[in-house]
Amino acid sequence: RSFLSRDDIGIILINQCIAELIRHAVEAHARSVPAVLEIPSKEHPYDPAKDSVLRRARGMFTADDLR
């Protein structure tokens, strides 16, 4: 949480498996800066269904927008 309030941080990269442990905090973060981006780790493959940023982006578009 301390990283979210710092003015010198614009992007927070976090392994998706760690983001799952604090999903409530990741989902509650609504500001655009710093951006919280979930990345895969060697041990855990990336699952787009769990990515909060990707889910929010999908909610912004309708099926007609993507055609």
Tab-separated table of all heavy atoms in Angstrom:
chain	number	residue	atom	x	y	z
A	1	ARG	N	0.816	-1.204	0.000
A	1	ARG	CA	0.000	0.000	0.000
A	1	ARG	C	0.852	1.256	0.000
A	1	ARG	O	0.425	2.276	-0.505
A	1	ARG	CB	-0.951	-0.012	1.186
A	1	ARG	CG	-1.979	-1.109	1.061
A	1	ARG	CD	-2.896	-1.129	2.223
A	1	ARG	NE	-3.656	-2.360	2.174
A	1	ARG	CZ	-4.869	-2.485	2.603
A	1	ARG	NH1	-5.478	-1.468	3.142
A	1	ARG	NH2	-5.490	-3.627	2.529
A	2	SER	N	2.023	1.171	0.568
A	2	SER	CA	2.884	2.359	0.611
A	2	SER	C	3.320	2.769	-0.788
A	2	SER	O	3.501	3.952	-1.062
A	2	SER	CB	4.094	2.122	1.509
A	2	SER	OG	4.920	1.109	0.976
A	3	PHE	N	3.494	1.810	-1.700
A	3	PHE	CA	3.871	2.143	-3.084
A	3	PHE	C	2.763	2.928	-3.785
A	3	PHE	O	3.035	3.750	-4.652
A	3	PHE	CB	4.181	0.884	-3.888
A	3	PHE	CG	5.474	0.227	-3.511
A	3	PHE	CD1	5.478	-1.073	-3.049
A	3	PHE	CD2	6.679	0.897	-3.615
A	3	PHE	CE1	6.670	-1.693	-2.694
A	3	PHE	CE2	7.871	0.285	-3.265
A	3	PHE	CZ	7.868	-1.007	-2.801
A	4	LEU	N	1.513	2.678	-3.441
A	4	LEU	CA	0.401	3.360	-4.091
A	4	LEU	C	0.342	4.842	-3.769
A	4	LEU	O	-0.209	5.624	-4.541
A	4	LEU	CB	-0.930	2.703	-3.687
A	4	LEU	CG	-1.121	1.263	-4.126
A	4	LEU	CD1	-2.419	0.714	-3.545
A	4	LEU	CD2	-1.120	1.142	-5.636
A	5	SER	N	0.892	5.235	-2.648
A	5	SER	CA	0.810	6.640	-2.238
A	5	SER	C	2.050	7.450	-2.584
A	5	SER	O	2.076	8.654	-2.359
A	5	SER	CB	0.552	6.720	-0.733
A	5	SER	OG	1.609	6.116	-0.025
A	6	ARG	N	3.065	6.831	-3.153
A	6	ARG	CA	4.290	7.555	-3.488
A	6	ARG	C	4.160	8.292	-4.810
A	6	ARG	O	3.613	7.773	-5.769
A	6	ARG	CB	5.470	6.585	-3.546
A	6	ARG	CG	5.863	6.083	-2.176
A	6	ARG	CD	6.973	5.110	-2.178
A	6	ARG	NE	8.104	5.497	-3.022
A	6	ARG	CZ	9.217	4.797	-3.115
A	6	ARG	NH1	9.358	3.683	-2.424
A	6	ARG	NH2	10.191	5.190	-3.901
A	7	ASP	N	4.673	9.515	-4.854
A	7	ASP	CA	4.606	10.338	-6.070
A	7	ASP	C	5.662	9.964	-7.097
A	7	ASP	O	5.554	10.348	-8.255
A	7	ASP	CB	4.771	11.818	-5.714
A	7	ASP	CG	3.598	12.345	-4.913
A	7	ASP	OD1	2.488	11.787	-5.034
A	7	ASP	OD2	3.794	13.318	-4.167
A	8	ASP	N	6.696	9.230	-6.688
A	8	ASP	CA	7.783	8.902	-7.600
A	8	ASP	C	7.606	7.538	-8.269
A	8	ASP	O	8.509	7.056	-8.943
A	8	ASP	CB	9.130	8.951	-6.865
A	8	ASP	CG	9.209	7.957	-5.715
A	8	ASP	OD1	8.151	7.595	-5.157
A	8	ASP	OD2	10.328	7.551	-5.357
A	9	ILE	N	6.445	6.912	-8.127
A	9	ILE	CA	6.174	5.612	-8.741
A	9	ILE	C	5.000	5.742	-9.695
A	9	ILE	O	3.941	6.237	-9.324
A	9	ILE	CB	5.888	4.541	-7.668
A	9	ILE	CG1	7.138	4.306	-6.827
A	9	ILE	CG2	5.409	3.235	-8.300
A	9	ILE	CD1	6.974	3.307	-5.717
A	10	GLY	N	5.216	5.308	-10.939
A	10	GLY	CA	4.156	5.391	-11.951
A	10	GLY	C	3.580	4.039	-12.326
A	10	GLY	O	2.439	3.939	-12.743
A	11	ILE	N	4.385	2.982	-12.188
A	11	ILE	CA	3.949	1.632	-12.541
A	11	ILE	C	4.422	0.673	-11.458
A	11	ILE	O	5.573	0.716	-11.036
A	11	ILE	CB	4.529	1.173	-13.894
A	11	ILE	CG1	4.061	2.095	-15.018
A	11	ILE	CG2	4.121	-0.266	-14.208
A	11	ILE	CD1	4.738	1.815	-16.347
A	12	ILE	N	3.518	-0.194	-11.034
A	12	ILE	CA	3.860	-1.255	-10.099
A	12	ILE	C	3.693	-2.572	-10.830
A	12	ILE	O	2.605	-2.882	-11.319
A	12	ILE	CB	2.961	-1.214	-8.852
A	12	ILE	CG1	3.158	0.097	-8.103
A	12	ILE	CG2	3.233	-2.422	-7.953
A	12	ILE	CD1	2.198	0.322	-6.962
A	13	LEU	N	4.769	-3.337	-10.944
A	13	LEU	CA	4.723	-4.666	-11.549
A	13	LEU	C	4.653	-5.691	-10.426
A	13	LEU	O	5.464	-5.655	-9.502
A	13	LEU	CB	5.966	-4.922	-12.401
A	13	LEU	CG	6.187	-3.970	-13.570
A	13	LEU	CD1	7.510	-4.283	-14.246
A	13	LEU	CD2	5.049	-4.071	-14.556
A	14	ILE	N	3.701	-6.598	-10.538
A	14	ILE	CA	3.518	-7.609	-9.497
A	14	ILE	C	3.235	-8.945	-10.161
A	14	ILE	O	2.500	-9.009	-11.153
A	14	ILE	CB	2.384	-7.202	-8.531
A	14	ILE	CG1	2.254	-8.188	-7.378
A	14	ILE	CG2	1.074	-7.024	-9.251
A	14	ILE	CD1	1.322	-7.711	-6.259
A	15	ASN	N	3.853	-9.995	-9.641
A	15	ASN	CA	3.559	-11.326	-10.172
A	15	ASN	C	2.088	-11.645	-9.922
A	15	ASN	O	1.552	-11.355	-8.856
A	15	ASN	CB	4.404	-12.392	-9.483
A	15	ASN	CG	5.812	-12.433	-9.998
A	15	ASN	OD1	6.161	-11.753	-10.948
A	15	ASN	ND2	6.639	-13.216	-9.368
A	16	GLN	N	1.468	-12.253	-10.910
A	16	GLN	CA	0.050	-12.546	-10.810
A	16	GLN	C	-0.254	-13.462	-9.619
A	16	GLN	O	-1.278	-13.286	-8.951
A	16	GLN	CB	-0.454	-13.166	-12.104
A	16	GLN	CG	-1.958	-13.212	-12.179
A	16	GLN	CD	-2.436	-13.706	-13.519
A	16	GLN	OE1	-2.002	-14.729	-13.995
A	16	GLN	NE2	-3.344	-12.954	-14.120
A	17	CYS	N	0.627	-14.402	-9.320
A	17	CYS	CA	0.378	-15.302	-8.179
A	17	CYS	C	0.407	-14.533	-6.861
A	17	CYS	O	-0.345	-14.845	-5.943
A	17	CYS	CB	1.360	-16.461	-8.180
A	17	CYS	SG	3.090	-15.989	-8.016
A	18	ILE	N	1.236	-13.493	-6.752
A	18	ILE	CA	1.258	-12.653	-5.554
A	18	ILE	C	0.027	-11.753	-5.525
A	18	ILE	O	-0.572	-11.534	-4.474
A	18	ILE	CB	2.549	-11.811	-5.490
A	18	ILE	CG1	3.784	-12.707	-5.512
A	18	ILE	CG2	2.545	-10.888	-4.286
A	18	ILE	CD1	3.872	-13.696	-4.367
A	19	ALA	N	-0.384	-11.252	-6.688
A	19	ALA	CA	-1.581	-10.417	-6.764
A	19	ALA	C	-2.810	-11.182	-6.284
A	19	ALA	O	-3.723	-10.597	-5.696
A	19	ALA	CB	-1.789	-9.922	-8.190
A	20	GLU	N	-2.837	-12.488	-6.523
A	20	GLU	CA	-3.953	-13.304	-6.045
A	20	GLU	C	-4.040	-13.292	-4.521
A	20	GLU	O	-5.135	-13.352	-3.967
A	20	GLU	CB	-3.825	-14.746	-6.542
A	20	GLU	CG	-4.264	-14.941	-7.971
A	20	GLU	CD	-5.738	-14.618	-8.174
A	20	GLU	OE1	-6.586	-15.172	-7.446
A	20	GLU	OE2	-6.036	-13.787	-9.044
A	21	LEU	N	-2.906	-13.203	-3.850
A	21	LEU	CA	-2.888	-13.188	-2.391
A	21	LEU	C	-3.449	-11.887	-1.820
A	21	LEU	O	-3.939	-11.862	-0.692
A	21	LEU	CB	-1.468	-13.414	-1.868
A	21	LEU	CG	-0.810	-14.737	-2.256
A	21	LEU	CD1	0.640	-14.758	-1.786
A	21	LEU	CD2	-1.588	-15.913	-1.688
A	22	ILE	N	-3.343	-10.803	-2.589
A	22	ILE	CA	-3.853	-9.497	-2.147
A	22	ILE	C	-4.885	-8.963	-3.143
A	22	ILE	O	-4.977	-7.757	-3.366
A	22	ILE	CB	-2.694	-8.499	-1.953
A	22	ILE	CG1	-1.885	-8.335	-3.247
A	22	ILE	CG2	-1.801	-8.917	-0.800
A	22	ILE	CD1	-0.954	-7.145	-3.228
A	23	ARG	N	-5.656	-9.857	-3.725
A	23	ARG	CA	-6.622	-9.481	-4.770
A	23	ARG	C	-7.541	-8.352	-4.320
A	23	ARG	O	-7.863	-7.457	-5.090
A	23	ARG	CB	-7.431	-10.713	-5.192
A	23	ARG	CG	-8.465	-10.465	-6.263
A	23	ARG	CD	-7.921	-9.967	-7.587
A	23	ARG	NE	-6.924	-10.851	-8.148
A	23	ARG	CZ	-6.061	-10.461	-9.069
A	23	ARG	NH1	-6.058	-9.229	-9.539
A	23	ARG	NH2	-5.164	-11.290	-9.536
A	24	HIS	N	-7.955	-8.371	-3.060
A	24	HIS	CA	-8.845	-7.314	-2.560
A	24	HIS	C	-8.199	-5.935	-2.703
A	24	HIS	O	-8.861	-4.974	-3.094
A	24	HIS	CB	-9.226	-7.580	-1.107
A	24	HIS	CG	-8.056	-7.584	-0.176
A	24	HIS	ND1	-7.186	-8.654	-0.068
A	24	HIS	CD2	-7.586	-6.638	0.662
A	24	HIS	CE1	-6.239	-8.361	0.806
A	24	HIS	NE2	-6.451	-7.141	1.268
A	25	ALA	N	-6.923	-5.821	-2.447
A	25	ALA	CA	-6.225	-4.540	-2.566
A	25	ALA	C	-6.017	-4.155	-4.019
A	25	ALA	O	-6.149	-2.980	-4.384
A	25	ALA	CB	-4.884	-4.599	-1.845
A	26	VAL	N	-5.718	-5.133	-4.865
A	26	VAL	CA	-5.518	-4.856	-6.293
A	26	VAL	C	-6.836	-4.383	-6.917
A	26	VAL	O	-6.867	-3.411	-7.670
A	26	VAL	CB	-4.975	-6.109	-7.031
A	26	VAL	CG1	-4.922	-5.878	-8.531
A	26	VAL	CG2	-3.610	-6.493	-6.498
A	27	GLU	N	-7.934	-5.043	-6.579
A	27	GLU	CA	-9.241	-4.666	-7.124
A	27	GLU	C	-9.698	-3.303	-6.604
A	27	GLU	O	-10.381	-2.565	-7.300
A	27	GLU	CB	-10.281	-5.727	-6.772
A	27	GLU	CG	-10.034	-7.076	-7.399
A	27	GLU	CD	-10.307	-7.109	-8.893
A	27	GLU	OE1	-11.121	-6.295	-9.377
A	27	GLU	OE2	-9.696	-7.945	-9.573
A	28	ALA	N	-9.331	-2.967	-5.381
A	28	ALA	CA	-9.751	-1.694	-4.795
A	28	ALA	C	-9.009	-0.498	-5.379
A	28	ALA	O	-9.502	0.627	-5.319
A	28	ALA	CB	-9.546	-1.736	-3.284
A	29	HIS	N	-7.842	-0.723	-5.969
A	29	HIS	CA	-7.057	0.374	-6.545
A	29	HIS	C	-7.712	0.828	-7.848
A	29	HIS	O	-7.766	0.088	-8.822
A	29	HIS	CB	-5.622	-0.073	-6.808
A	29	HIS	CG	-4.771	0.980	-7.414
A	29	HIS	ND1	-4.437	2.140	-6.743
A	29	HIS	CD2	-4.193	1.076	-8.626
A	29	HIS	CE1	-3.693	2.886	-7.531
A	29	HIS	NE2	-3.532	2.264	-8.675
A	30	ALA	N	-8.235	2.049	-7.859
A	30	ALA	CA	-8.973	2.547	-9.020
A	30	ALA	C	-8.267	3.688	-9.746
A	30	ALA	O	-8.707	4.095	-10.817
A	30	ALA	CB	-10.363	3.004	-8.578
A	31	ARG	N	-7.196	4.208	-9.195
A	31	ARG	CA	-6.490	5.319	-9.845
A	31	ARG	C	-5.658	4.803	-11.013
A	31	ARG	O	-5.247	3.643	-11.038
A	31	ARG	CB	-5.586	6.028	-8.848
A	31	ARG	CG	-6.350	6.654	-7.706
A	31	ARG	CD	-5.463	7.414	-6.764
A	31	ARG	NE	-4.101	6.888	-6.749
A	31	ARG	CZ	-3.157	7.298	-5.947
A	31	ARG	NH1	-3.404	8.222	-5.074
A	31	ARG	NH2	-1.952	6.785	-5.990
A	32	SER	N	-5.410	5.684	-11.975
A	32	SER	CA	-4.617	5.280	-13.132
A	32	SER	C	-3.112	5.337	-12.855
A	32	SER	O	-2.339	4.666	-13.521
A	32	SER	CB	-4.964	6.150	-14.345
A	32	SER	OG	-4.731	7.508	-14.048
A	33	VAL	N	-2.699	6.154	-11.885
A	33	VAL	CA	-1.287	6.256	-11.527
A	33	VAL	C	-1.165	6.070	-10.031
A	33	VAL	O	-1.840	6.772	-9.275
A	33	VAL	CB	-0.700	7.615	-11.940
A	33	VAL	CG1	0.734	7.776	-11.477
A	33	VAL	CG2	-0.797	7.801	-13.444
A	34	PRO	N	-0.375	5.171	-9.580
A	34	PRO	CA	0.418	4.242	-10.370
A	34	PRO	C	-0.449	3.120	-10.948
A	34	PRO	O	-1.407	2.677	-10.335
A	34	PRO	CB	1.428	3.687	-9.365
A	34	PRO	CG	0.741	3.788	-8.045
A	34	PRO	CD	-0.135	4.996	-8.127
A	35	ALA	N	-0.076	2.695	-12.128
A	35	ALA	CA	-0.746	1.564	-12.755
A	35	ALA	C	-0.211	0.282	-12.121
A	35	ALA	O	0.987	0.156	-11.897
A	35	ALA	CB	-0.478	1.554	-14.251
A	36	VAL	N	-1.097	-0.639	-11.805
A	36	VAL	CA	-0.699	-1.928	-11.231
A	36	VAL	C	-0.849	-2.980	-12.326
A	36	VAL	O	-1.961	-3.258	-12.771
A	36	VAL	CB	-1.552	-2.291	-10.004
A	36	VAL	CG1	-1.160	-3.653	-9.452
A	36	VAL	CG2	-1.427	-1.223	-8.921
A	37	LEU	N	0.268	-3.509	-12.779
A	37	LEU	CA	0.267	-4.485	-13.869
A	37	LEU	C	0.703	-5.843	-13.358
A	37	LEU	O	1.727	-5.963	-12.701
A	37	LEU	CB	1.201	-4.027	-14.991
A	37	LEU	CG	0.909	-2.648	-15.576
A	37	LEU	CD1	1.939	-2.287	-16.621
A	37	LEU	CD2	-0.480	-2.601	-16.154
A	38	GLU	N	-0.107	-6.846	-13.678
A	38	GLU	CA	0.194	-8.210	-13.254
A	38	GLU	C	0.987	-8.917	-14.347
A	38	GLU	O	0.630	-8.853	-15.521
A	38	GLU	CB	-1.101	-8.964	-12.984
A	38	GLU	CG	-1.897	-8.342	-11.860
A	38	GLU	CD	-3.224	-9.030	-11.633
A	38	GLU	OE1	-3.326	-10.245	-11.867
A	38	GLU	OE2	-4.167	-8.334	-11.211
A	39	ILE	N	2.062	-9.567	-13.938
A	39	ILE	CA	2.933	-10.257	-14.886
A	39	ILE	C	3.078	-11.720	-14.456
A	39	ILE	O	2.892	-12.046	-13.284
A	39	ILE	CB	4.310	-9.570	-14.978
A	39	ILE	CG1	5.013	-9.540	-13.612
A	39	ILE	CG2	4.180	-8.165	-15.559
A	39	ILE	CD1	6.430	-9.028	-13.652
A	40	PRO	N	3.413	-12.599	-15.400
A	40	PRO	CA	3.599	-14.012	-15.038
A	40	PRO	C	4.934	-14.217	-14.332
A	40	PRO	O	5.818	-13.369	-14.375
A	40	PRO	CB	3.593	-14.724	-16.387
A	40	PRO	CG	4.056	-13.696	-17.354
A	40	PRO	CD	3.563	-12.369	-16.829
A	41	SER	N	5.051	-15.342	-13.689
A	41	SER	CA	6.328	-15.760	-13.127
A	41	SER	C	6.739	-17.058	-13.802
A	41	SER	O	5.945	-17.655	-14.534
A	41	SER	CB	6.212	-15.969	-11.605
A	41	SER	OG	5.382	-17.075	-11.324
A	42	LYS	N	7.945	-17.488	-13.569
A	42	LYS	CA	8.408	-18.739	-14.176
A	42	LYS	C	7.606	-19.930	-13.676
A	42	LYS	O	7.373	-20.879	-14.402
A	42	LYS	CB	9.892	-18.951	-13.887
A	42	LYS	CG	10.782	-17.998	-14.614
A	42	LYS	CD	12.231	-18.295	-14.321
A	42	LYS	CE	13.127	-17.336	-15.068
A	42	LYS	NZ	14.542	-17.616	-14.845
A	43	GLU	N	7.193	-19.881	-12.432
A	43	GLU	CA	6.491	-21.002	-11.823
A	43	GLU	C	4.991	-21.007	-12.113
A	43	GLU	O	4.347	-22.046	-12.033
A	43	GLU	CB	6.694	-21.005	-10.302
A	43	GLU	CG	8.125	-21.230	-9.874
A	43	GLU	CD	8.953	-19.954	-9.923
A	43	GLU	OE1	8.378	-18.854	-9.845
A	43	GLU	OE2	10.179	-20.060	-10.067
A	44	HIS	N	4.422	-19.840	-12.399
A	44	HIS	CA	2.975	-19.725	-12.598
A	44	HIS	C	2.689	-19.013	-13.920
A	44	HIS	O	3.031	-17.842	-14.064
A	44	HIS	CB	2.348	-18.934	-11.447
A	44	HIS	CG	2.573	-19.555	-10.114
A	44	HIS	ND1	3.635	-19.212	-9.303
A	44	HIS	CD2	1.888	-20.514	-9.449
A	44	HIS	CE1	3.580	-19.923	-8.194
A	44	HIS	NE2	2.529	-20.726	-8.263
A	45	PRO	N	2.046	-19.683	-14.861
A	45	PRO	CA	1.738	-19.036	-16.136
A	45	PRO	C	0.695	-17.932	-15.958
A	45	PRO	O	-0.082	-17.932	-15.002
A	45	PRO	CB	1.198	-20.172	-17.001
A	45	PRO	CG	0.698	-21.184	-16.034
A	45	PRO	CD	1.564	-21.052	-14.804
A	46	TYR	N	0.702	-17.001	-16.885
A	46	TYR	CA	-0.242	-15.885	-16.874
A	46	TYR	C	-1.648	-16.393	-17.179
A	46	TYR	O	-1.860	-17.161	-18.103
A	46	TYR	CB	0.195	-14.855	-17.916
A	46	TYR	CG	-0.765	-13.717	-18.099
A	46	TYR	CD1	-0.851	-12.709	-17.151
A	46	TYR	CD2	-1.580	-13.649	-19.213
A	46	TYR	CE1	-1.725	-11.659	-17.317
A	46	TYR	CE2	-2.458	-12.597	-19.388
A	46	TYR	CZ	-2.523	-11.607	-18.431
A	46	TYR	OH	-3.388	-10.571	-18.601
A	47	ASP	N	-2.632	-15.946	-16.401
A	47	ASP	CA	-4.031	-16.290	-16.616
A	47	ASP	C	-4.801	-14.998	-16.853
A	47	ASP	O	-5.056	-14.241	-15.916
A	47	ASP	CB	-4.588	-17.030	-15.403
A	47	ASP	CG	-6.029	-17.480	-15.593
A	47	ASP	OD1	-6.630	-17.172	-16.644
A	47	ASP	OD2	-6.545	-18.150	-14.686
A	48	PRO	N	-5.180	-14.703	-18.102
A	48	PRO	CA	-5.864	-13.441	-18.386
A	48	PRO	C	-7.193	-13.293	-17.657
A	48	PRO	O	-7.640	-12.178	-17.405
A	48	PRO	CB	-6.058	-13.456	-19.905
A	48	PRO	CG	-5.728	-14.821	-20.360
A	48	PRO	CD	-4.964	-15.498	-19.290
A	49	ALA	N	-7.823	-14.383	-17.278
A	49	ALA	CA	-9.092	-14.309	-16.564
A	49	ALA	C	-8.931	-13.713	-15.169
A	49	ALA	O	-9.886	-13.191	-14.599
A	49	ALA	CB	-9.714	-15.697	-16.466
A	50	LYS	N	-7.724	-13.761	-14.610
A	50	LYS	CA	-7.470	-13.227	-13.271
A	50	LYS	C	-6.949	-11.795	-13.290
A	50	LYS	O	-6.874	-11.166	-12.244
A	50	LYS	CB	-6.469	-14.120	-12.543
A	50	LYS	CG	-6.990	-15.499	-12.250
A	50	LYS	CD	-5.936	-16.314	-11.536
A	50	LYS	CE	-6.429	-17.715	-11.235
A	50	LYS	NZ	-5.379	-18.520	-10.602
A	51	ASP	N	-6.573	-11.282	-14.436
A	51	ASP	CA	-5.957	-9.958	-14.548
A	51	ASP	C	-7.010	-8.870	-14.385
A	51	ASP	O	-7.904	-8.729	-15.210
A	51	ASP	CB	-5.251	-9.833	-15.889
A	51	ASP	CG	-4.383	-8.598	-15.986
A	51	ASP	OD1	-4.748	-7.550	-15.411
A	51	ASP	OD2	-3.338	-8.679	-16.637
A	52	SER	N	-6.908	-8.082	-13.331
A	52	SER	CA	-7.912	-7.058	-13.038
A	52	SER	C	-7.925	-5.941	-14.078
A	52	SER	O	-8.990	-5.415	-14.422
A	52	SER	CB	-7.693	-6.482	-11.643
A	52	SER	OG	-6.422	-5.886	-11.544
A	53	VAL	N	-6.770	-5.555	-14.603
A	53	VAL	CA	-6.713	-4.497	-15.619
A	53	VAL	C	-7.377	-4.973	-16.910
A	53	VAL	O	-8.156	-4.244	-17.522
A	53	VAL	CB	-5.252	-4.058	-15.876
A	53	VAL	CG1	-5.172	-3.090	-17.040
A	53	VAL	CG2	-4.665	-3.442	-14.638
A	54	LEU	N	-7.101	-6.190	-17.306
A	54	LEU	CA	-7.702	-6.737	-18.522
A	54	LEU	C	-9.212	-6.866	-18.370
A	54	LEU	O	-9.966	-6.554	-19.296
A	54	LEU	CB	-7.079	-8.093	-18.858
A	54	LEU	CG	-7.471	-8.719	-20.182
A	54	LEU	CD1	-7.169	-7.783	-21.341
A	54	LEU	CD2	-6.749	-10.040	-20.372
A	55	ARG	N	-9.681	-7.279	-17.206
A	55	ARG	CA	-11.138	-7.374	-16.983
A	55	ARG	C	-11.789	-6.009	-17.057
A	55	ARG	O	-12.869	-5.852	-17.623
A	55	ARG	CB	-11.416	-8.041	-15.641
A	55	ARG	CG	-11.221	-9.539	-15.673
A	55	ARG	CD	-11.917	-10.221	-14.509
A	55	ARG	NE	-11.711	-9.564	-13.243
A	55	ARG	CZ	-10.911	-10.001	-12.282
A	55	ARG	NH1	-10.234	-11.109	-12.449
A	55	ARG	NH2	-10.789	-9.341	-11.153
A	56	ARG	N	-11.148	-4.991	-16.506
A	56	ARG	CA	-11.698	-3.627	-16.584
A	56	ARG	C	-11.735	-3.146	-18.030
A	56	ARG	O	-12.689	-2.505	-18.457
A	56	ARG	CB	-10.869	-2.669	-15.751
A	56	ARG	CG	-11.048	-2.840	-14.287
A	56	ARG	CD	-10.218	-1.849	-13.529
A	56	ARG	NE	-10.116	-2.245	-12.140
A	56	ARG	CZ	-9.305	-1.694	-11.263
A	56	ARG	NH1	-8.501	-0.708	-11.634
A	56	ARG	NH2	-9.274	-2.103	-10.017
A	57	ALA	N	-10.687	-3.430	-18.786
A	57	ALA	CA	-10.633	-2.996	-20.190
A	57	ALA	C	-11.728	-3.681	-21.005
A	57	ALA	O	-12.356	-3.047	-21.850
A	57	ALA	CB	-9.264	-3.304	-20.786
A	58	ARG	N	-11.964	-4.951	-20.753
A	58	ARG	CA	-13.029	-5.660	-21.468
A	58	ARG	C	-14.387	-5.049	-21.175
A	58	ARG	O	-15.252	-5.017	-22.030
A	58	ARG	CB	-13.031	-7.134	-21.086
A	58	ARG	CG	-11.946	-7.914	-21.735
A	58	ARG	CD	-12.085	-9.380	-21.396
A	58	ARG	NE	-10.995	-10.140	-21.955
A	58	ARG	CZ	-10.494	-11.230	-21.434
A	58	ARG	NH1	-10.988	-11.708	-20.308
A	58	ARG	NH2	-9.496	-11.856	-22.013
A	59	GLY	N	-14.582	-4.562	-19.958
A	59	GLY	CA	-15.851	-3.950	-19.581
A	59	GLY	C	-16.107	-2.615	-20.255
A	59	GLY	O	-17.235	-2.133	-20.282
A	60	MET	N	-15.073	-2.020	-20.821
A	60	MET	CA	-15.217	-0.723	-21.478
A	60	MET	C	-15.744	-0.845	-22.904
A	60	MET	O	-16.183	0.141	-23.481
A	60	MET	CB	-13.868	0.001	-21.489
A	60	MET	CG	-13.370	0.355	-20.108
A	60	MET	SD	-11.695	1.031	-20.111
A	60	MET	CE	-11.876	2.459	-21.134
A	61	PHE	N	-15.667	-2.032	-23.490
A	61	PHE	CA	-16.032	-2.220	-24.888
A	61	PHE	C	-17.178	-3.202	-25.015
A	61	PHE	O	-17.303	-4.131	-24.227
A	61	PHE	CB	-14.827	-2.747	-25.686
A	61	PHE	CG	-13.651	-1.812	-25.666
A	61	PHE	CD1	-12.572	-2.058	-24.834
A	61	PHE	CD2	-13.629	-0.690	-26.466
A	61	PHE	CE1	-11.487	-1.201	-24.795
A	61	PHE	CE2	-12.550	0.174	-26.443
A	61	PHE	CZ	-11.486	-0.085	-25.613
A	62	THR	N	-17.991	-3.007	-26.037
A	62	THR	CA	-19.039	-3.964	-26.363
A	62	THR	C	-18.516	-4.876	-27.477
A	62	THR	O	-17.492	-4.610	-28.085
A	62	THR	CB	-20.311	-3.248	-26.846
A	62	THR	OG1	-20.035	-2.595	-28.088
A	62	THR	CG2	-20.812	-2.250	-25.824
A	63	ALA	N	-19.251	-5.924	-27.775
A	63	ALA	CA	-18.848	-6.831	-28.837
A	63	ALA	C	-18.801	-6.108	-30.177
A	63	ALA	O	-17.961	-6.396	-31.029
A	63	ALA	CB	-19.804	-8.019	-28.898
A	64	ASP	N	-19.692	-5.149	-30.397
A	64	ASP	CA	-19.704	-4.383	-31.647
A	64	ASP	C	-18.457	-3.513	-31.793
A	64	ASP	O	-17.978	-3.283	-32.907
A	64	ASP	CB	-20.946	-3.514	-31.731
A	64	ASP	CG	-22.218	-4.324	-31.888
A	64	ASP	OD1	-22.136	-5.468	-32.397
A	64	ASP	OD2	-23.290	-3.832	-31.492
A	65	ASP	N	-17.917	-3.017	-30.694
A	65	ASP	CA	-16.709	-2.195	-30.748
A	65	ASP	C	-15.508	-2.989	-31.244
A	65	ASP	O	-14.592	-2.429	-31.835
A	65	ASP	CB	-16.366	-1.639	-29.367
A	65	ASP	CG	-17.381	-0.625	-28.872
A	65	ASP	OD1	-18.052	0.009	-29.716
A	65	ASP	OD2	-17.506	-0.469	-27.645
A	66	LEU	N	-15.492	-4.272	-30.994
A	66	LEU	CA	-14.343	-5.111	-31.345
A	66	LEU	C	-14.421	-5.685	-32.747
A	66	LEU	O	-13.510	-6.384	-33.180
A	66	LEU	CB	-14.202	-6.237	-30.314
A	66	LEU	CG	-14.014	-5.756	-28.878
A	66	LEU	CD1	-13.993	-6.924	-27.922
A	66	LEU	CD2	-12.756	-4.928	-28.732
A	67	ARG	N	-15.477	-5.410	-33.463
A	67	ARG	CA	-15.602	-5.918	-34.835
A	67	ARG	C	-14.960	-5.016	-35.818
A	67	ARG	O	-14.739	-3.913	-35.747
A	67	ARG	CB	-17.082	-6.073	-35.205
A	67	ARG	CG	-17.712	-7.197	-34.460
A	67	ARG	CD	-19.115	-7.374	-34.901
A	67	ARG	NE	-19.731	-8.302	-33.949
A	67	ARG	CZ	-20.944	-8.728	-34.078
A	67	ARG	NH1	-21.700	-8.348	-35.074
A	67	ARG	NH2	-21.444	-9.548	-33.202
